[in-house]
């Protein structure tokens, strides 16, 4: 029915169209950026939380947590629990501190250091407890921060 030449031509033409479509279409159609939407958690008493965990070359672990309170539901006291553990789960530091109000930055802050005695992989887990009129109004679990010493 069909000649051999027409079958080969048809296959070549299909291949050219397919290649053209694969090359040209991504430039014509702009994909929606996956990173275009930034998801930020919604808190009841804080607008933003920043946690920093660093270990220097001498094994000094530096931990800092800053909580920007929500103006319409401002807590009057914030407690921050900091737990440093090795990746295997061994806890080397576990303390709760009262965050101090910083008038310049208008946020509650805790900054602590701790000397590690062994090399390894560590993580900081931070939990923030927000109080208003003596009552716990919110507990916030921060994402763990990891560092190697």
């Amino acid at each position: 029915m069909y000649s051999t030449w027409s079958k080969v031509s048809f296959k070549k033409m299909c291949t050219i169209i397919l290649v053209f479509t694969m090359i040209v279409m991504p430039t014509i159609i702009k994909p929606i950026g996956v990173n275009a939407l930034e998801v930020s958690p919604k808190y009841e008493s804080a607008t933003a939380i920043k946690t920093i965990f660093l270990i220097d070359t001498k094994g000094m672990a530096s931990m800092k947590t800053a909580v920007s309170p929500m103006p319409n539901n401002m807590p009057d006291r914030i407690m921050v629990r900091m737990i440093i553990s090795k990746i295997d789960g061994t806890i080397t530091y576990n303390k709760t501190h009262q965050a101090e109000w910083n008038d310049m930055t208008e946020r509650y802050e805790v900054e602590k250091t701790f000397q590690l005695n062994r090399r390894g992989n560590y993580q900081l887990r931070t939990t923030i407890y927000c109080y208003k009129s003596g009552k716990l109004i919110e507990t916030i679990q921060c994402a763990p921060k990891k560092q190697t010493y």
Side-chain angles (χ1 to χ4, degrees), residues 1 4 10 13 26-27 50 72 96 112 125 129 137 146:
M1 282 193 164
T4 307
F10 180 74
M13 186 59 99
T27 61
K50 177 94 172 165
N72 61 347
T96 302
K112 297 294 177 185
R125 289 176 303 177
Y129 303 96
I137 57 172
K146 298 178 181 180

Side-chain angles (χ1 to χ4, degrees), residues 122-145:
Y122 291 90
Q123 71 176 356
L124 172 68
R125 289 176 303 177
T126 306
T127 306
I128 299 166
Y129 303 96
C130 303
Y131 295 88
K132 189 171 189 174
S133 302
K135 292 183 180 179
L136 181 65
I137 57 172
E138 186 171 23
T139 301
I140 302 167
Q141 294 279 343
C142 299
K145 300 283 186 175

Side-chain angles (χ1 to χ4, degrees), residues 2-127:
Y2 296 104
S3 69
T4 307
W5 184 85
S6 64
K7 287 182 183 180
V8 171
S9 296
F10 180 74
K11 287 181 180 181
K12 283 183 181 179
M13 186 59 99
C14 287
T15 304
I16 290 170
I17 291 171
L18 179 64
V19 168
F20 178 78
T21 304
M22 290 173 63
I23 292 171
V24 174
M25 291 307 286
T27 61
I28 295 172
I29 300 172
K30 302 269 185 199
I32 297 174
V34 175
N35 295 330
L37 297 175
E38 186 175 319
V39 177
S40 59
K42 296 292 182 191
Y43 304 119
E44 294 177 26
S45 56
T47 58
I49 294 173
K50 177 94 172 165
T51 302
I52 299 170
F53 179 49
L54 301 169
I55 302 173
D56 69 14
T57 57
K58 295 178 182 173
M60 185 61 72
S62 299
M63 306 162 278
K64 183 172 183 176
T65 300
V67 180
S68 300
M70 196 169 288
N72 61 347
N73 193 22
M74 188 162 172
D76 49 30
R77 184 171 60 116
I78 291 184
M79 302 298 290
V80 179
R81 183 175 186 189
M82 298 174 165
I83 300 173
I84 297 177
S85 62
K86 293 193 90 170
I87 298 303
D88 67 5
T90 306
I91 294 174
T92 57
Y93 181 89
N94 183 359
K95 292 191 178 178
T96 302
H97 307 281
Q98 182 165 336
E100 299 293 326
W101 176 254
N102 185 326
D103 284 326
M104 292 182 68
T105 60
E106 295 187 341
R107 60 188 187 183
Y108 288 96
E109 297 176 347
V110 171
E111 190 167 358
K112 297 294 177 185
T113 58
F114 178 74
Q115 181 65 50
L116 300 169
N117 57 8
R118 292 199 175 155
R119 294 193 174 273
N121 296 317
Y122 291 90
Q123 71 176 356
L124 172 68
R125 289 176 303 177
T126 306
T127 306

